[in-house]
Amino acid sequence: MELKKNQYTIGGIPVIALAEKHRSPLYIYDTDGMISQYRRITDSFSGTRVKINYACKALTNINVLKLFCGLGSGLDAVSVQEVELGLMAGFAPQDILYTPNCVSIEEIVEAVELGVRINIDNIAILEEFGVKYGAKVPVCVRINPHVMGGGNNKISTGHIDSKFGISIYQMPHVHRIVETNHMKVEGIHMHTGSDILDMQTFLRASEVMFETAMEFKELDYVDFGSGFKVPYRADDVSTDVEALGIELSERFNRFCKEYGKELTLVFEPGKFLVSEAGYFVARVNVIKQTTSTVFAGLDTGLNHFIRPMFYEAYHEIVNVSKPRGKTRIYTVVGYICETDTFGWNRKISEATEGDYLLFKNAGAYCYAMASNYNSRFRPAEVLVHKGKDHLIRKREDMEDLLRNQIELEDL
Ligand SMILES: *Cc1c(COP(=O)(O)O)cnc(C)c1O
């Protein structure tokens, strides 16, 4: 987003014009932002054979999937429905890695039948899979290296109590299952959480992966998951991808020599690719002064944008209607009949009813988590691509609320 001639613009288009044309509330995504983040990783790892699988649970609009497919990305899918969306968007089955957690063997069988790569994250399923497919279908094994990433308890997955992955202490059992059933393990995978602030922690986890990898003789790739952090505030630290690229590429290439084969280094970022390229715009319905607080009440709520309430996520808020106004302190809230506070005590340029407020970092896990709570419609999504705005999802209407409901005759 840029401030040009007293107007905030996204991909060159004034935000106010987008909000007026497509109405509020509205999600806006900028393809340039997604492409440049994708290139940042591929450029940083240009010295090694790197593959990016976009973790699409962050934002699954089919156009976003097509964009990444066109860039040469693969896909990380966590449900069989995401697999199907990926196939519809044009990803080749071998470019999709299905990484489920606690799903039934039936769902895994469905994914096998769709021809995609399978990542298995528990011993019982690995054994069932081995008995069923033996050497016929290769697998990836999701490992928990027990190295604590950063982030809060809700998003960290590498700790000892985590439900994700197979513990490195269970590797002897894994090898027993693999050998007995003549399975081919084509990849090993880790995804230790969502906030790698400290590169050394990440590199330590990588060492565990390399050690583990030496014991599997038929690998094609090592998947380091995600953990790329993006800045939410002006002074936030984020993952230094360029520095990571230098260190890890060198280490990975050295590992490949030792291993005796050129493997592919895989990453599966979600947030890093789409968070900052997304914005959410909502209108101020009321300014409400109480005895202690000035509230800005918006035409949206936790039904459209739940991260602040769900994860205590911080999203910067800007009054795009008053780019240079003097600032006041607001507590920004939604219209849902529950406490849905987007931000406490935010310094925002003085707002009046009808102003548009814009939330930053709204590309990842925002629309994807929207619901119909309070029987509200989910908002529209707009993609700004090559200087033009495209409606890529309509706002819902009454028909959407009633779809799949079955009205009984005798009530
Ligand atoms: C969610 C998820 C990701 C992406 O995480 P981000 O923090 O959005 O980058 C990657 N891999 C797996 C297995 C995931 O479940």
Side-chain angles (χ1 to χ4, degrees):
M1 189 171 66
E2 277 188 306
L3 183 54
K4 271 197 279 191
K5 291 193 203 136
N6 220 20
Q7 267 191 335
Y8 282 101
T9 59
I10 295 171
I13 305 177
V15 177
I16 303 284
L18 291 171
E20 279 171 358
K21 177 172 170 191
H22 300 283
R23 307 209 327 275
S24 162
L26 180 69
Y27 277 99
I28 304 165
Y29 312 118
D30 169 24
T31 54
D32 284 346
M34 299 180 190
I35 295 167
S36 66
Q37 287 294 89
Y38 181 84
R39 297 256 153 84
R40 264 183 79 192
I41 308 183
T42 51
D43 289 351
S44 301
F45 285 86
S46 58
T48 185
R49 191 194 291 186
V50 70
K51 165 116 182 134
I52 297 174
N53 287 337
Y54 168 50
C56 70
K57 72 177 187 287
L59 178 61
T60 43
N61 189 291
I62 190 99
N63 299 283
V64 173
L65 301 187
K66 282 180 164 175
L67 177 81
F68 283 114
C69 185
L71 292 175
S73 175
L75 200 73
D76 186 73
V78 294
S79 69
V80 78
Q81 290 79 13
E82 284 187 355
V83 167
E84 290 188 49
L85 280 173
L87 292 170
M88 284 180 203
F91 288 93
Q94 66 271 19
D95 286 330
I96 300 178
L97 179 66
Y98 169 63
T99 302
N101 173 256
C102 292
V103 304
S104 66
I105 186 79
E106 288 81 10
E107 186 174 311
I108 294 174
V109 169
E110 270 182 69
V112 170
E113 281 161 11
L114 291 168
V116 301
R117 297 186 194 275
I118 309 292
N119 194 358
I120 290 186
D121 97 329
N122 78 77
I123 295 255
I125 293 283
L126 184 72
E127 189 156 15
E128 238 181 302
F129 195 95
V131 169
K132 191 166 170 59
Y133 296 110
K136 285 202 292 271
V137 182
V139 288
C140 178
V141 177
R142 179 171 183 171
I143 286 161
N144 184 345
H146 301 305
V147 174
M148 267 303 275
N152 62 36
N153 275 335
K154 279 193 183 159
I155 59 177
S156 185
T157 61
H159 50 83
I160 194 99
D161 292 329
S162 172
K163 69 165 186 160
F164 297 99
I166 301 176
S167 166
I168 38 167
Y169 304 115
Q170 291 176 302
M171 285 307 116
H173 194 174
V174 167
H175 287 292
R176 207 167 306 131
I177 292 168
V178 166
E179 279 153 32
T180 313
N181 297 296
H182 312 287
M183 299 172 79
K184 179 183 173 181
V185 177
E186 61 171 6
I188 59 167
H189 167 278
M190 73 168 187
H191 172 63
T192 55
S194 272
D195 272 10
I196 302 163
L197 287 174
D198 164 14
M199 196 159 72
Q200 292 317 313
T201 310
F202 192 83
L203 293 171
R204 224 178 319 127
S206 314
E207 289 306 321
V208 175
M209 291 293 280
F210 293 135
E211 227 171 273
T212 310
M214 283 314 271
E215 304 301 316
F216 292 94
K217 302 301 175 201
E218 296 183 281
L219 293 182
D220 296 321
Y221 57 91
V222 180
D223 187 333
F224 292 92
S226 179
F228 294 100
K229 186 169 160 39
V230 296
Y232 284 83
R233 306 172 195 243
D235 58 352
D236 253 358
V237 243
S238 59
T239 304
D240 186 344
V241 181
E242 291 72 19
L244 183 68
I246 293 169
E247 290 237 9
L248 188 59
S249 299
E250 189 271 326
R251 180 65 188 93
F252 187 75
N253 291 341
R254 207 151 28 89
F255 165 75
C256 289
K257 277 217 182 80
E258 250 174 84
Y259 189 81
K261 180 176 174 188
E262 198 187 335
L263 304 181
T264 302
L265 190 167
V266 184
F267 283 117
E268 41 187 44
K271 202 181 284 163
F272 185 83
L273 296 177
V274 297
S275 173
E276 293 165 279
Y279 303 88
F280 182 56
V281 181
R283 216 181 45 203
V284 177
N285 276 342
V286 288
I287 299 292
K288 179 170 178 175
Q289 168 94 57
T290 65
T291 41
S292 60
T293 307
V294 186
F295 288 100
L298 306 185
D299 63 348
T300 183
L302 62 77
N303 51 327
H304 297 155
F305 195 98
I306 202 174
R307 297 189 79 250
M309 307 89 194
F310 195 32
Y311 300 117
E312 287 162 32
Y314 181 95
H315 288 264
E316 218 181 287
I317 304 171
V318 180
N319 182 352
V320 286
S321 296
K322 308 266 170 57
R324 298 198 198 276
K326 70 172 166 65
T327 57
R328 287 193 68 187
I329 307 278
Y330 296 93
T331 289
V332 181
V333 296
Y335 60 15
I336 290 292
C337 295
E338 271 202 49
T339 302
D340 55 349
T341 306
F342 293 112
W344 298 96
N345 300 329
R346 294 301 184 85
K347 238 180 167 176
I348 297 169
S349 58
E350 184 152 27
T352 50
E353 280 124 17
D355 281 0
Y356 290 108
L357 301 193
L358 176 139
F359 294 78
K360 292 192 185 176
N361 287 88
Y365 308 110
C366 289
Y367 188 92
M369 288 190 182
S371 75
N372 291 119
Y373 188 44
N374 280 203
S375 296
R376 299 280 185 183
F377 306 140
R378 271 178 284 211
E381 294 182 292
V382 162
L383 190 71
V384 177
H385 183 55
K386 294 185 177 161
K388 279 214 182 99
D389 55 304
H390 305 269
L391 184 66
I392 56 169
R393 191 192 303 258
K394 290 191 289 186
R395 172 170 289 98
E396 289 179 334
D397 58 21
M398 281 312 289
E399 231 172 85
D400 294 305
L401 291 187
L402 286 163
R403 174 168 304 134
N404 296 332
Q405 295 198 42
I406 297 163
E407 228 176 319
L408 302 181
E409 295 295 332
D410 55 350
L411 288 177

